[in-house]
Amino acid sequence: MSKKVRLSGIAYESLVNGPGIRRVFFSQGCRHDCEGCFNPETHDFNGGEDRDMDELIKEVKDNPMLKGITFSGGDPFERAEEFAYMAKNFKDQGLNIWSYTGYTYEFIMNSLDSRPDWKEFLKYIDILVDGRFDQDKMDDTIRFRGSSNQRIIDVQESRNTGVVIVLHD
Ligand code: SF4
C-alpha cells in the first residue's frame, strides 16, 4: 500500500530555505498559532493534500540539481513519522536535510522518550531551525530565520556533544 503524507505544498527548486538548490516540503498542520504567522492556511490538520511519499522521493531522485531537502510548515514535527521515512531515503541519496519547527530543540530533546517518531526524524536532520515565530523579533536581515529568537542548530553535533551548537551569533 502506498504511504501518504499530508502537505500544504512543495517548492521544487528553492534558494531561500537553506543553502544550495533545495526541494522544500511544506507540512500541513500546526498547533503553535504564532501571532503574525505568514502561512495560517497550513494550520488545519485536515487541510492540504495527501501525497504519495514514494513518488515524492522518486521525483527528488530525478533531479540531480538538488543539494538538499527542507521540511517546513506547518510544523514538520507533527508529521515526523512520515518525514522520517522520507528523510531516511534522502539521506541515502546523499542529500543534506534541514527542518523547521515551532518547538524548541530542548523541548524536543526532553520529549524523545514519549515521541519515538521525533527520535527517528531527528536521526536524519542535519540542521534544525527551531522555535515559534515571534513578530516582535522579526528581522529581514537574518538568513533562513523569520525572527531572531529562532536558532539554526547543528543537530548531530549537538547530540554528540550534549551542547546546543548554534551556527550563527
Ligand atoms: S510554527 Fe510556523 S506555521 Fe506554525 S504558527 Fe508558528 S509561524 Fe505559523
Side-chain angles (χ1 to χ4, degrees), residues 29-40 42-43 72-75 100-103 131-134 150:
C30 183
R31 303 178 201 280
H32 299 293
D33 204 20
C34 309
E35 208 173 314
C37 172
F38 290 108
N39 302 310
T42 66
H43 296 181
S72 187
D75 193 323
Y100 286 77
T101 180
Y103 297 106
R132 296 173 77 241
F133 171 65
D134 182 341
Q150 296 170 323

Side-chain angles (χ1 to χ4, degrees), residues 144-168:
F144 306 137
R145 296 178 289 154
S147 55
S148 60
N149 59 299
Q150 296 170 323
R151 300 170 297 177
I152 299 175
I153 295 171
D154 183 328
V155 173
Q156 302 311 324
E157 234 0 69
S158 299
R159 296 198 75 183
N160 289 339
T161 59
V163 178
V164 185
I165 307 288
V166 177
L167 301 181
H168 54 89

